[in-house]
Amino acid sequence: MDVTLTRFVHALRSADLQVSPAETLDGFAVVQAVGLMDPRLLQDALALTLAKTREEKQRFAECFERFFHQLAFRRAPKRSPLRGLDSAKLLEILDPEKQPVIRQVIDEILHGDRTALAYRVQREAERLQISGMQTLRDKARIGDLLSLALGGRELEQLLSRSEDFPAAQLPALRYLRQYIQEQVRDYVDLQYQLAVDATGRRALLAAALKGNLDQLPPDYYREVDRVVAKLAQRLSQRHRARAKKTRRGHLDIKRTLRANIAYDGALFDLHWRQRHRQPSTVYVVCDVSNSVSRIARFLLLLLHGLTDALPQVRAFAFSNRLGEISEDLRGSDVDAAVAAAMFDWGKGATDYGAALTDLRNQVGADLDRHSTLIFLGDARANFYDPRVDVLRGLARRVRQVFWLNPESRDRWGEGDSVMPHYAPYCLRVDVCRDLQDIERFADRLLSATR
């Protein structure tokens, strides 16, 4: 049990639970105190010891279920080629000297001895050091070795001599090969998740970083929100460090030399030529209609996380009419504020011309050469007047205009897309479909607004 609990702690750590060595020792004491006879009692006792927050307790429960309720072989479906198989005749065909392993495995499968199967697989897996898997290559290698250890080669040799078997036995043998391969693959997958990613969240986050956010199911939002928060924190730290270096300015050689004449030219007293920067305002205008709402959600969350590094940010949402949501985003429950903004302003057919007109009426007098204007949208105006003249007037007032479009470049200009009409008045027009695109843009924005 000491080895098992050590592996379980490793699985918890791979699930992002911070379990210290002292807490691990407390876990050993808990196991000795409550015993192993009552799984529910063991789970509750270990959860009190190893999980602190409500979120950690939820992860602990998921990890405990997957770790301690693992069987190498599930029951074969009732409607399978094994149902009408004469097990005695099949076992008579197998030579106990030439095919000892596969004969025992088939016997255990046909008689439903799942305990013996689980023990056999567990023993072979430990011999292959399955808990040491770190990469997908390790998983594939151990899966192949485990299949061979369960008689995979012997079964292949039997099927290669199909003429020696009655025709009625061949479908069952082929099904057995497929069944054993599937069960071994599922078992190795589970062990890999426990060793590398106990809850599957890391694989999810990696896929979300590379995948199209517009196709991300809402059930995954919570995990991706955590990635967005980490991205914002990392970008803020990076640009605060840059700002600290640039805030002191460039070395003023003349003043430095004059100030250090008394030290015979040794530079003890340094003077810097500083550039005074006027604070700027970033205006973010997001299309929150159904086609763009998911990407707009994550962009707004990221910009909210960058409030320490960015200058003043004013956010607006629109579908046909435009409204400001800046005050709502400054609250504590940002996720609820974003959802409310999408509900309030995401109704109706998208009309970029009307939204641009509303933006000019609301903030046109506040725009100046220090302002940055950011648009997020697919620029599909539903054949309404795009009011390019309004965007041209806004672009002349501000320092720079960025446009983020979730569609690929080859679709710009097709159908009701007016992106080619808006692009000449933007400093940059970038494709924005995943978190990496949003991160690159945020990094560029922080550099441009310093």
Side-chain angles (χ1 to χ4, degrees):
M1 188 59 195
D2 292 347
V3 176
T4 302
L5 186 59
T6 302
R7 291 182 54 205
F8 178 57
V9 170
H10 177 73
L12 290 176
R13 288 171 178 167
S14 71
D16 293 335
L17 267 75
Q18 303 297 326
V19 182
S20 66
E23 291 171 339
T24 304
L25 294 177
D26 292 339
F28 284 116
V30 166
V31 173
Q32 293 178 355
V34 303
L36 307 174
M37 300 303 295
D38 189 343
R40 181 66 179 177
L41 176 61
L42 177 64
Q43 178 179 350
D44 293 341
L46 287 176
L48 290 172
T49 307
L50 304 178
K52 279 77 72 176
T53 65
R54 180 178 299 178
E55 183 178 0
E56 286 188 356
K57 291 184 183 300
Q58 180 179 355
R59 293 187 187 181
F60 177 91
E62 295 174 1
C63 190
F64 187 94
E65 180 70 21
R66 300 178 72 173
F67 188 89
F68 287 104
H69 295 80
Q70 46 178 313
L71 287 177
F73 277 77
R74 300 188 302 271
R75 296 186 185 276
K78 294 182 178 180
R79 295 184 178 181
S80 71
L82 300 179
R83 182 175 178 84
L85 183 65
D86 190 340
S87 59
K89 289 184 178 180
L90 178 59
L91 294 175
E92 287 177 1
I93 299 174
L94 302 175
D95 190 341
E97 294 183 359
K98 295 182 179 180
Q99 298 96 15
V101 178
I102 193 60
R103 193 178 191 278
Q104 294 177 1
V105 171
I106 291 178
D107 183 43
E108 292 164 356
I109 292 176
L110 295 179
H111 290 88
D113 193 352
R114 301 175 67 206
T115 302
L117 281 170
Y119 176 74
R120 182 185 299 277
V121 174
Q122 184 85 13
R123 182 184 60 194
E124 295 296 336
E126 291 296 336
R127 183 179 62 82
L128 296 172
Q129 298 180 346
I130 194 171
S131 60
M133 289 186 296
Q134 295 295 328
T135 64
L136 292 174
R137 181 177 300 176
D138 294 338
K139 185 177 77 168
R141 177 181 59 84
I142 291 180
D144 294 339
L145 293 176
L146 188 55
S147 295
L148 293 177
L150 294 178
R153 182 177 289 110
E154 298 175 6
L155 187 55
E156 291 293 341
Q157 292 174 353
L158 287 173
L159 289 171
S160 65
R161 296 184 290 106
S162 58
E163 65 276 2
D164 298 339
F165 295 92
Q169 304 287 346
L170 289 178
L173 281 176
R174 294 193 181 99
Y175 177 79
L176 278 171
R177 177 178 59 183
Q178 178 184 355
Y179 176 68
I180 292 173
Q181 290 174 350
E182 289 178 352
Q183 298 305 309
V184 169
R185 183 176 63 248
D186 292 345
Y187 177 78
V188 174
D189 285 343
L190 176 60
Q191 296 302 315
Y192 175 79
Q193 293 172 0
L194 290 171
V196 180
D197 186 6
T199 61
R201 285 182 168 85
R202 294 184 184 179
L204 166 65
L205 298 184
L209 284 172
K210 299 178 181 179
N212 190 344
L213 290 177
D214 191 45
Q215 300 175 0
L216 188 69
D219 294 342
Y220 293 171
Y221 282 1
R222 182 178 179 184
E223 295 303 323
V224 181
D225 288 350
R226 295 170 58 197
V227 177
V228 172
K230 290 181 180 179
L231 289 179
Q233 183 179 9
R234 185 176 63 191
L235 289 170
S236 295
Q237 292 175 350
R238 182 192 308 169
H239 284 270
R240 277 198 298 266
R242 292 181 185 176
K244 185 177 180 180
K245 291 181 180 179
T246 57
R247 197 179 300 123
R248 64 187 181 186
H250 298 283
L251 183 65
D252 191 332
I253 299 296
K254 295 180 179 179
R255 291 184 59 198
T256 300
L257 292 178
R258 287 196 300 267
N260 290 276
I261 292 177
Y263 308 121
D264 294 330
L267 303 181
F268 290 107
D269 187 8
L270 301 180
H271 290 266
W272 304 91
R273 185 185 298 114
Q274 297 181 349
R275 177 184 296 179
H276 298 284
R277 295 180 179 272
Q278 182 173 345
S280 60
T281 302
V282 176
Y283 296 84
V284 184
V285 183
C286 292
D287 179 356
V288 293
S289 60
N290 290 334
S291 58
V292 196
S293 60
R294 297 182 181 180
I295 299 177
R297 177 183 184 278
F298 294 114
L299 176 64
L300 291 173
L301 288 176
L302 181 62
L303 292 177
H304 178 269
L306 295 175
T307 51
D308 293 338
L310 277 174
Q312 182 181 0
V313 177
R314 295 180 64 179
F316 301 83
F318 76 93
S319 178
N320 47 14
R321 310 308 301 181
L322 179 138
E324 185 168 2
I325 58 174
S326 305
E327 291 299 327
D328 297 333
L329 291 177
R330 295 190 183 100
S332 57
D333 193 349
V334 182
D335 193 32
V338 172
M342 293 180 179
F343 178 80
D344 294 337
W345 301 101
K347 303 174 183 177
T350 307
D351 187 348
Y352 276 78
L356 287 171
T357 303
D358 289 343
L359 180 67
R360 182 184 60 184
N361 295 337
Q362 294 183 28
V363 301
D366 300 331
L367 299 177
D368 55 33
R369 63 185 183 87
H370 301 288
S371 304
T372 297
L373 192 56
I374 302 169
F375 290 93
L376 172 65
D378 55 9
R380 293 195 172 273
N382 287 318
F383 300 103
Y384 291 115
D385 185 359
R387 297 303 306 270
V388 179
D389 59 311
V390 177
L391 179 61
R392 180 172 59 245
L394 295 175
R396 290 175 177 174
R397 298 184 184 184
V398 300
R399 176 185 178 187
Q400 53 201 354
V401 178
F402 296 102
W403 196 293
L404 304 178
N405 195 318
E407 293 187 343
S408 58
R409 293 181 182 272
D410 57 352
R411 298 190 59 190
W412 296 357
E414 292 183 353
D416 60 344
S417 174
V418 294
M419 194 69 253
H421 300 286
Y422 289 155
Y425 307 104
C426 303
L427 178 64
R428 289 186 63 98
V429 181
D430 294 320
V431 175
C432 183
R433 307 178 67 179
D434 54 42
L435 285 183
Q436 290 180 338
D437 294 336
I438 294 178
E439 181 185 12
R440 282 193 293 268
F441 168 74
D443 193 17
R444 190 183 304 118
L445 175 64
L446 289 170
S447 300
T449 54
R450 282 201 312 238

